Amino acid sequence: MAEFVNAGYWLAGTDDTLPASNIDATLFTHLFVGYAQLNSDAHEVTVDPSQLILINQFSSTVKLSNPEVKTLLSIAGDTAVFATMAAEPANRDAFIKSSIAVARGGGFDGLDLQWLYPSSQDEMGNFKTLIHSWHQAVVDDATSLSLPRLLLVATVSNVPYLENNIQYPGEAINQNLDWVNILCYDFYAPTLSRSATGPSSAFHNPKVNTFSASFGIRSWAQSLHNPKKIVFGIPFHGWAWKLLSAHHHEVYAKADGEASGENIDGQIFYSDVQKFIEDNQAGVENNDKSYLIAYTYSDTTWIAYESEYTIAHKIALAKADKVLGYFAFNIAADDASNTLANAAKSNW
């Protein structure tokens, strides 16, 4: 069991921005790689052939700079495909066997299940059955190969329940997963909240408590009775809105969807936020104390993001809640100096 987790996600699709060979793996204890896919017909885990070499070389590449770093392959897919897989024993077996084979084939130390999200109590029951069988399979695999057991992680919603009182199985998670990655960001985005800006990765939210990392961490700690199973998320991307008025640029200011620019949905890398600030001599709030976010504005563009100061404060508060650690999504969004990754690691 890890003493603590300082993790980051790297996506094969961002190889042009951040090749694996340029990652400073000393900034992380764990690196997640995205994404393997769940095949909808055979219910097997596969890697896109165009990304296979990149993904299979990742572990050996990053371990050159940090031999101690653990790598995990992240499995994404349509929620309905996950639901169908988890509902039938034969489908579950196909998923489990293929996931272990793909992880071992790529030299990974673990697997990350991104079923976003089980949407009924039946599906939560199937999630429970799946992680129990998966855990038993990785134990058996480790025994047969005389190798360390693969780590098992699930990425989950910010709170341990979904609407209609649909609960994640806390006890089964405790017994079968090494930890959960909680998605405590993207609470607001211009595509979700068109008419007002929002604190997209708020640690506190005095207006809407449930849309905050602190609420998520404490809810999960209560559900699991064990904060050491919680790794909370910090986004390295921001969100850019178009303000209705250049004179009103506070959090929840009136807006008209996403700001015009390269990214049609309004998502923007931290490195590009820095460029925006510099190019526009933009106004900056580095550390809004009410929400623990940063934001910047110029004319009618308003961007919520994370700064080195917000990250330092968030990590201090999360550590006080005794969580296992944090993960960054995604590390290619950082600047060339790894400002955010350095801020996270140095404050852990």
Side-chain angles (χ1 to χ4, degrees), residues 210-273:
T210 50
F211 284 8
S212 68
S214 60
F215 185 85
I217 288 168
R218 286 172 187 181
S219 300
W220 271 105
Q222 200 172 2
S223 170
L224 299 173
H225 308 292
N226 184 5
K228 289 294 179 196
K229 288 279 183 178
I230 296 169
V231 173
F232 83 105
I234 302 171
F236 281 10
H237 60 270
W239 291 99
W241 276 263
K242 180 183 178 184
L243 294 168
L244 276 188
S245 165
H247 303 294
H248 297 285
H249 42 67
E250 63 285 350
V251 180
Y252 291 117
K254 288 182 179 175
D256 182 22
E258 64 274 8
S260 57
E262 294 171 33
N263 301 313
I264 45 175
D265 62 354
Q267 191 178 111
I268 179 169
F269 279 9
Y270 173 76
S271 52
D272 292 324
V273 174

Side-chain angles (χ1 to χ4, degrees), residues 146-213:
S146 299
L147 286 172
R149 174 179 68 76
L150 291 170
L151 297 166
L152 291 184
V153 173
T155 297
V156 295
S157 70
N158 185 53
V159 288
Y161 51 83
L162 297 155
E163 51 194 303
N164 306 324
N165 210 27
I166 301 160
Q167 304 273 345
Y168 276 95
E171 192 178 339
I173 287 171
N174 261 328
Q175 290 171 354
N176 297 296
L177 297 179
D178 290 280
W179 69 81
V180 287
N181 282 346
I182 67 171
L183 289 175
C184 41
Y185 52 84
D186 297 349
F187 298 126
Y188 298 87
T191 48
L192 303 169
S193 168
R194 296 194 64 81
S195 60
T197 66
S200 44
S201 54
F203 195 86
H204 304 300
N205 191 331
K207 282 200 172 185
V208 190
N209 191 26
T210 50
F211 284 8
S212 68

Side-chain angles (χ1 to χ4, degrees), residues 94-132:
F95 167 82
I96 289 166
K97 283 177 185 164
S98 60
S99 71
I100 293 170
V102 170
R104 290 297 188 197
F108 288 96
D109 301 296
L111 289 155
D112 166 36
L113 176 71
Q114 296 230 343
W115 179 355
L116 309 177
Y117 301 102
S119 58
S120 68
Q121 201 54 49
D122 278 351
E123 287 184 15
M124 284 296 185
N126 295 337
F127 175 88
K128 177 181 175 179
T129 304
L130 173 66
I131 62 174
H132 176 78

